Amino acid sequence: MSMIYLNQLGMISPLGNSLDATKRALLELARSGVALSDDYSPGRPLPLGRIDGNLPLLPMDDWPLPDRSRNNQIALAALEQIRPAVESAIERYGDARVGVVIGTSTSGVAEAEAALRDYVSTGALPEGFHYGQQELASPATVLARELGICGPAYVHSSACASSAKALASAARLIRMNACDAVLAGGVDTLCRFTVAGFAALESLSTTRCNPLSRNRDGINIGEGAALFLVSREPATVSLRGWGESSDGYHMSAPDPAGVGGRLALEQALARAAVTAAEIEYVNLHGTATVQNDAMEAELIHRVFGGHHVFVSSTKPFTGHALGAAGAIEAGLCWLAMQDDNRTGKLPAHLWDGSDDPKLPVLQLATPTTRLGHPPRWAVSNSFAFGGANVTLVLARD
């Protein structure tokens, strides 16, 4: 069966507006992109993973009104980083043989919030608002139109698993010969709705999130975009395996036994034809909530058998970008697996160092961890509200 490769990556996150800036913050400086802000929680400053406000965005004045959202602007800004490669693929394969699969959860909710604030104060919705701005399919539609392609174009919206599912879907489209290349990944942008929602669940931390610590008390919301060009053309990193499952346990809490998470992880390892002993790095879902970290730590300990594999959560670097998180975190693995990471630096686990005696001991990557070579095998977990679980396995080829 032919390999599926992650040929190119365009990514924007709180770590930087380019791959070079992101890699420097992640692997060289171990510098978090999370900072206090009350822009999305007026009067209550919270740590958020925000994109640099100096990012140049395409003007929306000539866009159809339903497409005008910051979410779509961020998606197009990520596309610009790899646009020549995507257009080359379209020229090579034809516009009907290239697809777009995106994960998102907010789409144009921020625009709706602003419109409703105007409505409260003026009694009318502003002329620049359209209900279609909230359409979840909008990022895929806009990217496909911008590129002039007519292959499959759709969105996954399954909370924090959305963009990891998008990458798995891209691989399936290629394997089933529906596409020769797919632009796949995720985008999500900050809005008051998600911040208030997680606050209502008492899941937000008032400090930088602290995964696996005895002092962990919740997440930081983030934003960003990561788009991969996926195809059969050989590249440094391949998407070797993926696994998907659904707990059906609870709307917002994971199954404490980790049954669904283990199913997704073992399915991904089996599809990749790799053993747990060969994996060198695991990017944890690692939200820093009490229940998620307890479930995931037990899962990693059971499957990987203790201390041989390095693990970290990158949520303290970026915040939790919800629908975009899976693609962003796969992107961070992809960056670490490139040839220029000769010493094999890994994304560090940023936390307060206070072990939780209720959790099994895992081998946490630190800012000084070195494999001696770029990671050969990496795993990235995404566990979402509603029990949607996805594990991706990436390999250096």
Side-chain angles (χ1 to χ4, degrees):
M1 190 173 290
S2 62
M3 295 290 187
I4 305 298
Y5 292 95
L6 304 177
N7 301 102
Q8 299 282 337
L9 169 64
M11 185 159 65
I12 294 165
S13 81
L15 289 178
N17 295 338
S18 69
L19 294 189
D20 287 344
T22 299
K23 184 177 288 188
R24 177 172 167 74
L26 179 73
L27 298 180
E28 296 181 25
L29 303 176
R31 182 183 65 206
S32 171
V34 172
L36 282 174
S37 170
D38 68 352
D39 286 355
Y40 298 92
S41 53
R44 184 192 178 195
L46 290 169
L48 300 173
R50 301 184 66 184
I51 293 170
D52 182 353
N54 294 320
L55 174 67
L57 298 175
L58 294 174
M60 297 186 288
D61 296 344
D62 59 347
W63 294 9
L65 190 53
D67 296 340
R68 297 181 194 176
S69 70
R70 181 169 174 267
N71 207 59
N72 287 340
Q73 284 182 299
I74 297 297
L76 287 169
L79 169 65
E80 286 304 304
Q81 296 178 12
I82 59 171
R83 187 163 185 152
V86 177
E87 290 180 340
S88 177
I90 296 168
E91 184 177 352
R92 208 159 46 248
Y93 300 124
D95 57 13
R97 296 291 300 170
V98 179
V100 179
V101 188
I102 303 297
T104 195
S105 62
T106 58
S107 199
V109 168
E111 283 68 32
E113 291 172 351
L116 290 172
R117 287 194 293 272
D118 278 2
Y119 181 83
V120 169
S121 62
T122 69
L125 291 170
E127 291 183 3
F129 174 68
H130 190 285
Y131 289 110
Q133 288 166 316
Q134 300 171 89
E135 169 58 53
L136 285 171
S138 185
T141 302
V142 167
L143 287 165
R145 188 186 66 235
E146 179 71 15
L147 291 165
I149 60 177
C150 52
Y154 57 93
V155 159
H156 281 285
S157 190
S158 49
C160 317
S162 302
S163 54
K165 280 184 169 291
L167 289 168
S169 289
R172 283 192 289 269
L173 286 171
I174 294 169
R175 288 240 172 126
M176 68 192 291
N177 200 33
C179 292
D180 291 310
V182 180
L183 180 66
V187 58
D188 248 333
T189 44
L190 285 163
C191 60
R192 295 186 184 187
F193 175 78
T194 49
V195 173
F198 279 93
L201 291 170
E202 299 182 344
S203 294
L204 291 183
S205 178
T206 56
T207 61
R208 191 183 73 191
C209 69
N210 204 6
L212 300 181
S213 168
R214 73 168 69 195
N215 301 313
R216 68 190 187 276
D217 63 353
I219 72 173
N220 308 144
I221 304 294
E223 63 180 355
L227 300 177
F228 289 93
L229 177 61
V230 186
S231 79
R232 296 187 188 91
E233 293 190 22
T236 302
V237 179
S238 61
L239 177 55
R240 196 67 68 87
W242 56 91
E244 298 169 271
S245 68
S246 180
D247 287 350
Y249 174 79
H250 189 274
M251 280 303 296
S252 60
D255 176 2
V259 174
R262 182 163 186 166
L263 182 63
L265 176 53
E266 291 183 340
Q267 186 186 112
L269 294 173
R271 181 172 275 116
V274 64
T275 66
E278 294 174 89
I279 302 297
E280 295 176 304
Y281 170 64
V282 176
N283 185 286
L284 303 172
H285 186 57
T287 60
T289 58
V290 172
Q291 292 172 308
N292 175 87
D293 287 12
M295 178 277 289
E296 191 171 15
E298 291 288 349
L299 169 63
I300 297 301
H301 184 75
R302 287 197 304 270
V303 173
F304 293 95
H307 310 298
H308 87 275
V309 64
F310 286 103
V311 307
S312 70
S313 168
T314 49
K315 297 292 194 299
F317 282 101
T318 63
H320 190 348
L322 305 180
I328 288 173
E329 289 162 22
L332 300 181
C333 294
W334 186 93
L335 286 172
M337 299 174 84
Q338 297 303 306
D339 293 339
D340 58 0
N341 184 22
R342 295 181 183 86
T343 62
K345 298 176 186 177
L346 295 174
H349 188 82
L350 302 182
W351 67 321
D352 64 3
S354 182
D355 292 319
D356 185 342
K358 297 178 182 178
L359 303 184
V361 177
L362 303 177
Q363 183 166 241
L364 302 180
T366 73
T368 60
T369 296
R370 302 288 186 273
L371 292 177
H373 56 81
R376 300 186 183 99
W377 291 94
V379 158
S380 184
N381 286 332
S382 297
F383 303 132
F385 275 11
N389 307 300
V390 182
T391 294
L392 304 176
V393 178
L394 277 60
R396 260 180 67 86
D397 289 287

